[in-house]
């Protein structure tokens, strides 16, 4: 079991560029969550999916952010255009429906300059 | 809205038990208590969860008061590797609407 796999681990981009973060959940898990972590705001839930369907995206900060889950083994979080205030660590997590516990990935550290 | 209250930081001597308190006085009947921890630069890690009975696993024990308004996470023999931020979260169990909202947690520093 390789756990939740996120890519890239680090991303540095210029303001205005499009950024795509990727996540592969654990096989058999049917819920997927995107979180963002900053020093100022802590861990924030952005969006989560159940059986590939977005359930709650109320945490997505603005229209520049979008997330998709085209199948059970892949999800993306896209920021277009990126801004310096988007700099953060973005975590993906997955769980089984009964929520025994979330398993988090190692995160993507995004820096927008 | 914060559903739990935790001390911002605690110290513990290596080899001793670490007892981390959490107050959740507004917990609902269908809400579980979850504990996660986050070691520096890593993703959060699930520790344990419970409804009203005390729970124990290989990592820790969870003691929930009878009125369910507070709980304590116990690490029986803390090591330096247990230094982390510990989050106490209350949330309904299961289902597509379940989600975990993290607060600020307790920074546990295990001292040699």
């Amino acid at each position: 079991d390789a756990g939740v796999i996120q890519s890239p681990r680090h991303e540095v981009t210029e303001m205005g560029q499009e950024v795509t973060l990727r996540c592969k959940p654990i096989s058999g898990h049917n819920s997927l969550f995107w979180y963002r972590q900053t020093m100022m705001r802590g861990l924030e839930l952005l969006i989560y999916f159940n059986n590939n369907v977005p359930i709650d995206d109320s945490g997505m900060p603005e229209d520049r952010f979008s997330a998709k889950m085209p199948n059970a083994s892949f999800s993306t979080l896209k920021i277009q255009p990126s801004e310096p205030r988007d700099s953060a660590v973005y975590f993906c997590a997955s769980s089984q429906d009964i929520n025994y516990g979330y398993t988090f990935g190692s995160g993507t550290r995004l820096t927008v300059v | 809205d914060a559903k739990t209250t935790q001390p911002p930081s605690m110290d513990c001597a290596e080899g001793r038990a670490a007892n981390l308190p959490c107050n959740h006085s507004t917990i609902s009947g269908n809400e579980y208590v979850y504990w996660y921890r986050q070691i520096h630069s890593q993703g959060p890690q699930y520790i344990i969860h419970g409804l009203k009975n005390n729970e124990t696993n290989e990592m820790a024990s969870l003691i929930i008061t009878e009125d369910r308004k507070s709980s304590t996470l116990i690490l029986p023999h803390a090591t330096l590797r247990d230094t982390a931020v510990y989050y106490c979260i209350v949330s309904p169990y299961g289902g597509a609407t379940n989600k975990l909202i993290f607060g600020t947690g307790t920074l546990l520093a295990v001292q040699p």
Side-chain angles (χ1 to χ4, degrees), chain B residues 64-81:
Chain B
I64 302 174
T65 57
E66 190 169 346
D67 63 7
R68 304 212 317 125
K69 293 185 177 182
S70 66
S71 61
T72 301
L73 180 74
I74 301 172
L75 308 179
H77 305 286
T79 71
L80 298 178
R81 288 176 295 180

Side-chain angles (χ1 to χ4, degrees), chain A residues 35 37 48 56 99-100 102, chain B residues 36 38 96-100:
Chain A
Y35 284 83
Q37 186 170 35
Y48 73 101
D56 184 346
N99 193 33
Y100 183 78
Y102 291 14
Chain B
Y36 282 74
Q38 186 173 23
T97 57
N98 192 12
K99 59 184 179 182
L100 298 181

Side-chain angles (χ1 to χ4, degrees), chain A residues 9 33 35 37 43 45 48 50 55-56 58 91 97-102 104-106 109, chain B residues 34 36 38 41-46 49 87 92-102:
Chain A
R9 287 298 307 276
F33 308 82
Y35 284 83
Q37 186 170 35
L43 267 166
L45 176 64
Y48 73 101
N50 184 259
I55 302 300
D56 184 346
S58 60
F91 289 104
D97 195 30
I98 59 173
N99 193 33
Y100 183 78
Y102 291 14
F104 281 78
S106 299
R109 180 173 296 277
Chain B
Y34 294 83
Y36 282 74
Q38 186 173 23
S41 297
Q42 298 182 20
Q45 176 189 24
Y46 166 81
H49 74 284
Y87 298 97
Y93 182 80
T97 57
N98 192 12
K99 59 184 179 182
L100 298 181
I101 306 300
F102 288 77

Side-chain angles (χ1 to χ4, degrees), chain B residues 40-62:
Chain B
H40 183 60
S41 297
Q42 298 182 20
Q45 176 189 24
Y46 166 81
I47 301 173
I48 199 167
H49 74 284
L51 182 62
K52 53 184 176 182
N53 298 322
N54 298 337
E55 303 287 345
T56 295
N57 63 21
E58 66 278 4
M59 290 183 67
S61 295
L62 173 60

Side-chain angles (χ1 to χ4, degrees), chain A residues 26-80:
Chain A
I26 291 175
S27 177
H29 283 192
N30 57 6
S31 293
L32 183 140
F33 308 82
W34 283 100
Y35 284 83
R36 175 173 70 175
Q37 186 170 35
T38 61
M39 289 292 293
M40 291 295 293
R41 301 176 67 89
L43 267 166
E44 301 174 276
L45 176 64
L46 301 178
I47 186 172
Y48 73 101
F49 297 82
N50 184 259
N51 293 325
N52 312 336
V53 176
I55 302 300
D56 184 346
D57 65 354
S58 60
M60 297 286 262
E62 46 195 280
D63 292 345
R64 298 184 296 106
F65 286 69
S66 62
K68 294 182 179 180
M69 192 165 185
N71 56 61
S73 60
F74 184 65
S75 177
T76 59
L77 178 67
K78 184 178 294 186
I79 308 172
Q80 166 63 21

